[in-house]
Amino acid sequence: MTHPPAIETNGLTKVYGSGNTEVVALREATMTIERGEVVALLGPSGSGKSTLLSAVGLINPPTRGEIKIDGQVVMRGPNALVDVRRYRRERLGFIFQKSNLIPFLSALENVLVALAISGQEGRKAKRRAMELLESLGIADRAHNRPSALSGGQQQRVAIARALANRPSLLLADEPTAALDSTLGRQVMELFREVGHENQAGVLVVTHDQRALDVFDRTLSLEDGVLTEDRGSHAST
Amino acid sequence: MNLAVRDVGHNAGRFLLTAVGLGLLLMIVMGMGGIYEGIEADATLLVEEMDADLWIVQRDTRGPFAELSRLPSSMEYRALAVPGVEDARRFVTHTIQRKRHGKPLRISIVGLAWPTDRGEWLPLISGRALAQGHYEMVADQTLGLAVGEQIRLGKDVYRVVGVTRNMIGSGGDGLAFLTVADAQAVQFDSVGEATRLERAARRGRAEDMDVGLTQPGLLDRADLPAAEIPALGSPMVSAVMVRLKPGFDAETVRRSMAGWADVTVYTGAQERQLLLQGPVDRARRQIGLFRVLLVAISAIIMSLILYTMTLDKLHDIALLKLMGAKDRMILGLVLQEAFLLGGIAYVLAYFMGERLFPFFPRRVIVTGDMLLWLAVAVSVICVVGSSLGIWKAMRVEPNEVLS
């Protein structure tokens, strides 16, 4: 059985303000990311990358256009057709420039909290969280607080947390910006690995041109216009 | 996994320090309530301990506690003649201030109707009740007098034979129990010179009158001690306490005595009410209002603390929302921390109060009802105080994590 695409956007437009102060941050962006596909999103500052990410992350609704997750229309224009919080909880995983780990929780608990949010608690949840930390090579730091972890380790915990609920789409916003190039590349490779292994679509916003070979495809955004750099799925 | 407990554990030092501060504030609220209760208990203590059915006092006065009352000692015998009266006792009370070891010592003296009343009912912590009609005293421990100690009051020296606990007058002074005769001796004591001058004045007045000139023998009697002159009354008492025979209605007996033109008669409950409405009323109201003010201040401070605690976590709350956390989870985080803070502060307040209140100069009585009231008040403050933080937490947008 073939899975529907992790995400599809159709004519996604985001307009801020109105009249003289109107700013079009995203213009008719259309794209598809299949499950298991790892896609990079490039673009200069202010090009609309974060707007696109927050739209497909069901955080900031578009002004026009449609968003489908796992084949289901979840957003039509600014109207949510589903419980977006539940969708974020069950279908999406987020990774940020800073790891954004909760400082008062250990690495393990930071993963567990994602499971707790979707109602998974107890031994089973703990086993799942430990498995994720093991797969990312940081099981030995499971009981350390974020302040006791290096930047790379923190980002791995953040990835483990994002993967905890087996999301169909992983959204990463410049996840390597705070890391050195070696570590940055390792993290990008990790995305590729987890995307393929978990059959999750991965959309990574990045400035880092050196690790683009890791991705299956590259999309570019400039002045709100989305273009495909390589591959065949995206169009404007 | 409990996020509130984890957060508190992460900032344990700061949280505990905040709880101690809040605990001190709640302890003061508790203490104010305790002082309020203490004033009421001290004021009504004697009335309740004496357990009299009726109090006979000077006509149109609210004596003997709320106002000065003077009655002839013979009133005791008049009361005994009334049907239904089982027992009538003279009651004398007055406050004196003496210097002892260089410090002022205030004593509320209470006269016991020897030999009927020897003070066996007193809550003694050491020693015994009165065993002789003169020169013995039972003192409250707040006076700092130990069994065997002697103290000069007036012309006589009194030996402390027993020590009581929590026997305080409405003015907050410790009580000392003497026989009525000794209490009167202390009350009406005057120095020798004053007595001599009074006798000379008495003789002078007699000499100026016809009766003195026509009956010179009277002039000789005027020089005698007051007790030996029949025309001069015996020392007055403050009140007469009456206990009724079983089956007699206090109100009926009171009405029959109230017909006497020279006295006013109160039931025990009325006397208690007079005390509460009289000397202690303003103090009670003042403390009551102060307590309300303190509760309001505690509520404001707690709200600000809880709001600040929520602000500190706003980024984490936005992250939880981004991850799809339900409002219930965020609400629980803020509320649980509020209740943890309130709960710890409350427990600290209780234990700190238990250690500190005994050192207060007046009694601080923390009752079970008061503890319950404060627990409810703290719970309400926790809910109301965290509402500002909850409002802020509910308004935070998940995309704030991206900024």
Side-chain angles (χ1 to χ4, degrees):
Chain A
M1 194 183 95
T2 55
H3 281 291
I7 190 151
E8 292 173 80
T9 66
N10 194 5
L12 223 52
T13 301
K14 180 71 184 179
V15 180
Y16 291 107
S18 61
N20 290 340
T21 58
E22 185 177 288
V23 176
V24 181
L26 207 58
R27 295 169 192 272
E28 301 284 327
T30 299
M31 66 169 186
T32 302
I33 299 174
E34 300 291 343
R35 275 177 167 258
E37 195 178 21
V38 182
V39 178
L41 177 62
L42 299 172
S45 293
S47 60
K49 297 190 302 290
S50 294
T51 304
L52 179 63
L53 204 69
S54 61
V56 297
L58 308 180
I59 299 165
N60 202 359
T63 312
R64 287 187 296 277
E66 197 176 74
I67 301 169
K68 275 188 193 174
I69 293 177
D70 287 337
Q72 188 183 354
V73 181
V74 293
M75 215 36 121
R76 188 164 287 141
N79 304 314
L81 305 180
V82 294
D83 176 358
V84 289
R85 219 183 263 201
R86 186 168 69 83
Y87 256 72
R88 281 206 303 267
R89 190 159 62 226
E90 293 173 357
R91 311 283 176 95
L92 305 177
F94 296 90
I95 297 150
F96 313 95
Q97 184 176 336
K98 287 182 281 177
S99 61
N100 273 322
L101 297 176
I102 297 174
F104 52 83
L105 300 180
S106 67
L108 176 67
E109 288 166 342
N110 263 287
V111 183
L112 280 172
V113 81
L115 292 162
I117 283 171
S118 53
Q120 300 172 61
E121 284 183 278
R123 268 189 215 158
K124 207 173 156 190
K126 198 167 180 182
R127 202 180 314 127
R128 163 85 180 142
M130 277 310 289
E131 277 169 13
L132 280 165
L133 292 175
E134 260 167 37
S135 69
L136 291 161
I138 43 166
D140 57 328
R141 310 307 300 269
H143 298 289
N144 287 94
R145 292 244 170 91
S147 57
L149 302 175
S150 69
Q153 287 170 330
Q154 285 182 22
Q155 209 54 293
R156 280 163 192 262
V157 176
I159 294 168
R161 180 178 65 188
L163 289 171
N165 292 321
R166 297 186 173 86
S168 46
L169 180 66
L170 209 57
L171 300 167
D173 188 11
E174 303 197 29
T176 59
L179 306 177
D180 62 47
S181 57
T182 316
L183 209 55
R185 186 170 181 87
Q186 278 177 14
V187 170
M188 292 298 196
E189 282 170 354
L190 205 57
F191 280 129
R192 184 183 175 82
E193 210 177 295
V194 296
H196 290 170
E197 275 178 16
N198 293 280
Q199 278 300 293
V202 180
L203 178 64
V204 181
V205 171
T206 182
H207 274 113
D208 193 350
Q209 303 271 349
R210 289 167 298 181
L212 290 182
D213 57 304
V214 169
F215 296 94
D216 297 326
R217 284 193 294 138
T218 305
L219 302 173
S220 287
L221 250 179
E222 195 153 352
D223 294 332
V225 179
L226 185 69
T227 53
E228 174 93 5
D229 283 358
R230 200 171 63 197
S232 58
H233 290 81
S235 64
T236 56
Chain B
M1 178 173 43
N2 188 307
L3 290 178
V5 172
R6 294 290 194 287
D7 185 31
V8 167
H10 183 59
N11 296 302
R14 195 177 68 166
F15 186 84
L16 269 178
L17 215 60
T18 310
V20 168
L22 208 57
L24 282 168
L25 201 60
L26 290 179
M27 185 196 74
I28 295 171
V29 175
M30 204 182 275
M32 279 293 159
I35 292 170
Y36 182 96
E37 290 284 334
I39 285 178
E40 187 174 312
D42 289 349
T44 56
L45 180 87
L46 257 184
V47 175
E48 277 165 11
E49 292 288 339
M50 290 292 193
D51 197 25
D53 296 315
L54 296 172
W55 289 78
I56 305 173
V57 301
Q58 184 181 338
R59 182 81 184 178
D60 292 337
T61 68
R62 277 144 191 81
F65 304 104
E67 191 182 342
L68 190 70
S69 160
R70 290 278 171 84
L71 285 179
S73 307
S74 59
M75 185 61 67
E76 178 186 358
Y77 306 110
R78 211 202 293 177
L80 277 169
V82 175
V85 172
E86 179 165 286
D87 170 40
R89 285 175 291 164
R90 285 162 293 159
F91 178 79
V92 172
T93 184
H94 55 94
T95 301
I96 58 169
Q97 180 168 325
R98 298 285 183 272
K99 223 166 192 173
R100 185 167 169 79
H101 305 312
K103 287 181 183 168
L105 175 68
R106 286 182 64 81
I107 308 174
S108 256
I109 288 181
V110 175
L112 300 177
W114 174 273
T116 329
D117 184 359
R118 297 161 187 250
E120 282 99 344
W121 50 273
L122 292 169
L124 291 171
I125 53 169
S126 62
R128 56 166 173 80
L130 302 181
Q132 61 185 48
H134 288 291
Y135 315 125
E136 283 193 349
M137 167 198 276
V138 174
D140 189 69
Q141 64 173 352
T142 55
L143 294 172
L145 299 168
V147 172
E149 267 195 73
Q150 294 189 325
I151 182 168
R152 173 174 285 278
L153 299 174
K155 291 185 184 62
D156 302 309
V157 174
Y158 296 86
R159 194 160 61 87
V160 178
V161 295
V163 174
T164 60
R165 176 181 286 150
N166 292 335
M167 293 302 284
I168 310 286
S170 58
D173 304 313
L175 295 175
F177 299 86
L178 284 71
T179 61
V180 166
D182 284 351
Q184 285 172 324
V186 174
Q187 186 177 13
F188 299 112
D189 172 60
S190 59
V191 292
E193 182 60 14
T195 307
R196 277 192 292 278
L197 286 172
E198 165 54 20
R199 286 179 190 173
R202 219 183 283 153
R203 189 182 179 90
R205 285 197 298 274
E207 282 171 349
D208 289 346
M209 297 170 79
D210 284 345
V211 69
L213 295 171
T214 55
Q215 296 183 53
L218 272 180
L219 295 179
D220 297 333
R221 293 196 74 86
D223 285 344
L224 295 172
E228 294 174 29
I229 304 173
L232 297 176
S234 54
M236 310 289 259
V237 294
S238 304
V240 169
M241 298 177 296
V242 172
R243 205 161 41 226
L244 301 177
K245 287 176 183 161
F248 279 84
D249 175 42
E251 186 52 34
T252 311
V253 180
R254 191 195 71 81
R255 272 203 301 272
S256 73
M257 286 181 177
W260 301 344
D262 56 341
V263 299
T264 297
V265 186
Y266 298 113
T267 61
Q270 284 172 325
E271 190 62 53
R272 187 177 187 279
Q273 208 51 36
L274 281 177
L275 263 169
L276 293 180
Q277 288 169 352
V280 297
D281 183 50
R282 277 194 186 173
R284 275 199 327 155
R285 274 192 292 161
Q286 183 138 333
I287 288 170
L289 284 172
F290 197 56
R291 185 160 63 144
V292 170
L293 211 62
L294 269 175
V295 171
I297 292 168
S298 308
I300 291 167
I301 291 176
M302 207 159 159
S303 301
L304 282 173
I305 292 170
L306 294 171
Y307 182 62
T308 313
M309 277 166 63
T310 310
L311 284 189
D312 286 349
K313 286 190 293 290
L314 229 44
H315 184 80
D316 300 324
I317 289 170
L319 179 74
L320 290 171
K321 280 188 168 184
L322 183 75
M323 287 160 67
K326 291 175 184 162
D327 285 343
R328 202 176 53 212
M329 188 182 205
I330 291 152
L331 203 74
L333 171 65
V334 179
L335 267 180
Q336 281 169 22
E337 284 199 14
F339 275 102
L340 264 174
L341 183 67
I344 293 172
Y346 177 83
V347 171
L348 284 174
Y350 175 74
F351 285 110
M352 285 191 288
E354 254 203 348
R355 301 281 179 283
L356 288 175
F357 292 155
F359 296 102
F360 278 40
R362 287 203 67 155
R363 272 209 295 168
V364 181
I365 301 173
V366 180
T367 62
D369 280 353
M370 191 197 302
L371 288 174
L372 189 68
W373 173 87
L374 192 64
V376 172
V378 169
S379 305
V380 172
I381 291 172
C382 284
V383 175
V384 175
S386 53
S387 58
L388 198 63
I390 289 170
W391 173 77
K392 189 77 183 169
M394 289 298 131
R395 274 171 58 97
V396 71
E397 292 292 335
N399 59 3
E400 284 188 26
V401 182
L402 302 173
S403 59

